[in-house]
Amino acid sequence: MGGDVEAGDPLLTQYVLDDPVPWYKKPNLRYLYFVLIPTCIGVEITSGFDSSMMNGLQGVSYWDEYFHQPRGQTLGLMSAAYSLGCIVSLPFIPLIVDRGGRRLTIVVGSCIMLIGVALQTAAVNYVMFVLARATIGFGIPACIVSASSLIGELSYPKERTYLGSFFNASWFVGAIIAAGVTYGTFSMQSNWAWRIPSVLQAAPSLLQISFMWFLPESPRWLLSKGRDDEAYQILATYHAEGDQESEFVKTEFAQIKATLQIELENSKRSWKEMIATPGMRKRVTIASFLGLFTQWSGNGMISYYLKRILADVGITSNKTVNQINVANTCWGLVNATTLAFVVYRFKRRTMYLACTISLLLVYTSWTTCAARYTVAKDSKAAHGVLALIFIYSPAYNLGYNALTYTFLVELFPFAVRARGITIFQLFGRIAGFFNQYVNPIGIQKAGWKYYLSYVIWLAFEVCFVYFMFPETSGRTLEELAFIFEGKEVKKRQAKETEQELANGHIGAPMALNTPGEEKKPVSQIEKA
């Protein structure tokens, strides 16, 4: 059963709890967080912009006519091309992230997306538009995997949960901009009614490239490359306001270095590691299903096919649909931001259970109202569907938006973090591709009955979270590195942290294998 797991030595967590100074009174940390906004936190603006734009363009008559009224499979492929591009790119991402670093990977992904945006804006036919969307999709996972990791690895432990929540909340910023732009251009009497929203999708990528040079690299990545002094300097600058003798920084550095040494000494940085031990297999199972849950909880219906959902309950005016789209997106930003400020007060598993149970109740009610309208044409049922669309937003954001990337960074140790988040992305994108391709067909063929499939799946989500999700709140990343690996590994981690503290941070770079000292690999310890 999921629940509490035994984390490592909580010494660093105690230092954090004893620190009374808020982040905004620390100039260096304040600078770091402001630079993280355009470079990392804002990465999901592109995803939000894309889904909202595709939703809004379905209400733009010039777009609809230019691409010959796409419906069913044709419309599904236009939306799903984004996810298809993501899926194709995923096998290459861990290699780039681990070899080139987090910052370089974000820049590469942003450049690819700029190419896709240029193609999309200049699209002259259906095929070119689909290929452009696939190109944008090819670039976004590299940015998401790197940015989510970099946020967790650079932030001060006290603010890690906030920043991870804001990362997903930025989705709504992009969605609001796209909804507002498509609402403002849908009445234009030219093809610029849809080309203007397309070209504006380049803005987040341009910001990431422009500001990336002001952001430090992950100290953990630098340590993994033997660049110890650079890593220590970054930790001292941003976590201790430049105090090189800070006990907190010394302890943090020692804990990171000792943990990485244990992780990397037998690591081959291969995909086989992801299924080599029971602990890793459990992590992969959780990440895989979490990827499915974030896409198969009904959110894809609202994000991409709101117009078709509303049409099924008698709301057909393009202007009204766009107004509802803008209003729901603004509401999403409000509740997602609010939840980002309060999520740290509750345990991760508790929030996920509240999220899945709420979604089950919402979708059950939604299905009932949709069925009632179809059978009896009851206007109250139509109003009920509209209200439930707005209630759905905080129910989803409670867990899947506010916690997902924070939880993933905590779930996977550094050595496999990029691969772990990539697996999450893979299953999420496969689910997204399936949804975007199948949803319009399901809505067209089955109507309200199609919603029953989501009700059944959401019931499964509740059970999975209850039995499988571990509790990860209130610990540093290194204290969570071996949550599934048993007490012997944790004892060794604590011992080597103490040794590193005694040796001091200046010295030889991290050695992955110490001559003359026999150490059991983590995999052997766990299997013992």
Side-chain angles (χ1 to χ4, degrees), residues 50-72:
D50 183 83
S51 62
S52 185
M53 182 190 74
M54 283 303 298
N55 219 342
L57 289 182
Q58 293 173 56
V60 176
S61 57
Y62 268 83
W63 180 87
D64 201 44
E65 293 169 9
Y66 193 86
F67 294 106
H68 310 294
Q69 292 82 42
R71 300 290 186 273

Side-chain angles (χ1 to χ4, degrees), residues 22 37 39 63 88 96 101 105 114 169 187 213 251 265 272-274 300 325 333 360 377 433 454 463 469 481 493:
I37 293 172
T39 54
W63 180 87
V88 173
I96 301 172
T105 308
L114 288 177
S187 59
W213 316 111
T251 305
E265 62 187 7
K272 288 183 179 180
E273 285 185 74
M274 306 306 293
N325 186 29
L333 176 63
L360 176 60
K377 300 299 179 186
F433 177 81
Y454 284 105
C463 297
F469 275 35
Q493 180 192 30

Side-chain angles (χ1 to χ4, degrees), residues 147-416:
S148 58
S149 298
L150 198 51
I151 290 169
E153 292 166 7
L154 275 176
S155 58
Y156 189 68
K158 190 181 290 186
E159 287 87 39
R160 190 180 70 240
T161 304
Y162 292 113
L163 297 175
S165 298
F166 286 132
F167 176 73
N168 257 356
S170 73
W171 186 96
F172 292 99
V173 176
I176 288 170
I177 295 171
V181 170
T182 52
Y183 179 68
T185 63
F186 89 97
S187 59
M188 291 178 66
Q189 300 302 305
S190 74
N191 286 321
W192 283 105
W194 63 268
R195 293 192 194 274
I196 288 176
S198 293
V199 74
L200 289 177
Q201 196 168 2
S205 297
L206 291 172
L207 285 173
Q208 286 148 31
I209 294 170
S210 301
F211 283 89
M212 189 56 64
W213 316 111
F214 303 100
L215 187 72
E217 182 55 88
S218 163
R220 291 163 177 84
W221 182 81
L222 291 170
L223 265 169
S224 73
K225 300 301 179 183
R227 296 158 64 177
D228 295 30
D229 287 349
E230 290 178 63
Y232 189 90
Q233 185 63 42
I234 290 171
L235 292 173
T237 300
Y238 297 106
H239 289 186
E241 295 301 301
D243 182 4
Q244 300 285 332
E245 299 303 318
S246 165
E247 290 300 318
F248 172 81
V249 170
K250 289 179 181 179
T251 305
E252 183 179 31
F253 181 88
Q255 191 180 66
I256 292 172
K257 188 171 181 178
T259 303
L260 285 179
Q261 185 156 324
I262 296 171
E263 288 181 36
L264 297 176
E265 62 187 7
N266 298 288
S267 175
K268 296 180 181 178
R269 296 295 185 96
S270 69
W271 286 103
K272 288 183 179 180
E273 285 185 74
M274 306 306 293
I275 55 172
T277 65
M280 288 309 305
R281 289 193 289 273
K282 186 168 185 178
R283 288 183 177 94
V284 168
T285 300
I286 292 170
S288 301
F289 276 94
L290 185 56
L292 298 178
F293 295 164
T294 57
Q295 296 298 321
W296 279 355
S297 297
N299 49 312
M301 297 279 285
I302 299 172
S303 296
Y304 283 89
Y305 303 109
L306 180 62
K307 180 177 173 63
R308 309 304 163 204
I309 292 170
L310 294 175
D312 282 348
V313 291
I315 301 173
T316 57
S317 165
N318 282 344
K319 183 176 181 180
T320 302
V321 170
N322 274 301
Q323 287 174 335
I324 292 171
N325 186 29
V326 173
N328 188 48
T329 308
C330 291
W331 165 234
L333 176 63
V334 170
N335 67 68
T337 304
T338 302
L339 287 168
F341 279 112
V342 301
V343 69
Y344 79 97
R345 297 176 181 270
F346 304 94
K347 291 187 174 183
R348 311 280 192 261
R349 191 165 169 272
T350 301
M351 293 290 279
Y352 273 120
L353 282 170
C355 168
T356 51
I357 292 170
S358 298
L359 288 174
L360 176 60
L361 294 174
V362 167
Y363 242 89
T364 302
S365 303
W366 184 341
T367 304
T368 303
C369 288
R372 176 67 181 169
Y373 179 84
T374 302
V375 173
K377 300 299 179 186
D378 185 348
S379 61
K380 291 182 179 179
H383 295 155
V385 169
L386 186 58
L388 287 163
I389 288 172
F390 282 83
I391 295 171
Y392 177 93
S393 180
Y396 180 90
N397 292 339
L398 190 64
Y400 291 142
N401 188 280
L403 287 176
T404 294
Y405 285 102
T406 299
F407 182 67
L408 286 167
V409 170
E410 293 170 344
L411 185 66
F412 287 98
F414 171 84
V416 294

